[in-house]
Amino acid sequence: MKPESLNKAGNVFYLICRMSIGLFFFITGLNKLFHPVFQGYMLNTMIKIGFSDPQLMAHFVAFNEALWGLLLLLGLLTRLSSFSLIIIMIVALTTKDIHSIPTELIPIDPKIGVRPMDNFTWLTYFFFLPQVLYIMLLGLFSFYGYKIFGLDYFLKKKKAYSSW
């Protein structure tokens, strides 16, 4: 396979990943804004975390997920939208999800006894968290931008033509 073909295939895969992650955040943000079950889940999460105005914070986060997810999906302000979603994911990771990692290992055989969690195993659990993967992918999008297709491309092209 020629390097150009691999490059094109890689660009298409990048586009699919960017659009999929954008769609994911757009849908989850809309669900948290308008679906009663997800609204309740989001509100309970904000209450457990301890925000002073959990209702406002739940709406703020959900709106931002939907907005930046839509922009990422469209390839508009790709770097900014990716960076904004990274911030949301880091806050979610540090305030809620990192606490879901167990502190000890419970073996199947109770005779062995409970063992404390070693650093290597903790890191394995950490990388299992979906937020870590989202942060990594969003980091790629924030560095590379829209890459091959997105509204940023058309705006850049239009700006180049208008400067002549």
Side-chain angles (χ1 to χ4, degrees):
M1 193 174 239
K2 294 181 181 180
E4 301 86 32
S5 299
L6 285 174
N7 238 0
K8 287 179 184 178
N11 286 342
V12 170
F13 184 71
Y14 179 90
L15 173 67
I16 292 168
C17 288
R18 193 202 80 222
M19 292 180 75
S20 298
I21 298 295
L23 183 61
F24 165 77
F25 279 106
F26 178 63
I27 292 171
T28 58
L30 285 182
N31 276 337
K32 291 172 188 175
L33 280 172
F34 300 113
H35 193 285
V37 172
F38 290 101
Q39 286 175 335
Y41 173 76
M42 191 68 179
L43 181 60
N44 286 336
T45 300
M46 294 299 162
I47 290 169
K48 286 178 187 173
I49 291 172
F51 286 109
S52 59
D53 191 347
Q55 186 73 45
L56 175 69
M57 228 25 218
H59 283 104
F60 177 78
V61 171
F63 174 78
N64 276 286
E65 278 186 26
L67 172 69
W68 298 116
L70 177 63
L71 294 177
L72 184 62
L73 172 65
L74 298 173
L76 182 61
L77 302 174
T78 305
R79 288 187 166 107
L80 179 61
S81 58
S82 298
F83 185 71
S84 300
L85 290 168
I86 286 172
I87 292 171
I88 292 170
M89 287 293 94
I90 288 173
V91 171
L93 183 66
T94 57
T95 59
K96 179 184 174 287
D97 298 304
I98 205 164
H99 303 295
S100 69
I101 297 174
T103 56
E104 56 191 20
L105 298 172
I106 302 171
I108 294 173
D109 183 3
K111 294 176 190 171
I112 296 174
V114 176
R115 304 277 169 116
M117 178 78 72
D118 61 273
N119 292 337
F120 188 72
T121 306
W122 184 92
L123 197 57
T124 302
Y125 276 93
F126 177 76
F127 284 119
F128 270 124
L129 294 172
Q131 291 77 3
V132 175
L133 179 60
Y134 294 141
I135 290 168
M136 289 181 197
L137 286 170
L138 290 165
L140 283 174
F141 306 148
S142 65
F143 282 112
Y144 290 109
Y146 59 87
K147 195 106 169 133
I148 63 166
F149 177 77
L151 294 179
D152 287 342
Y153 170 79
F154 297 109
L155 292 174
K156 185 178 178 182
K157 200 173 186 180
K158 185 178 178 181
K159 186 178 177 183
Y161 286 129
S162 66
S163 64
W164 285 5

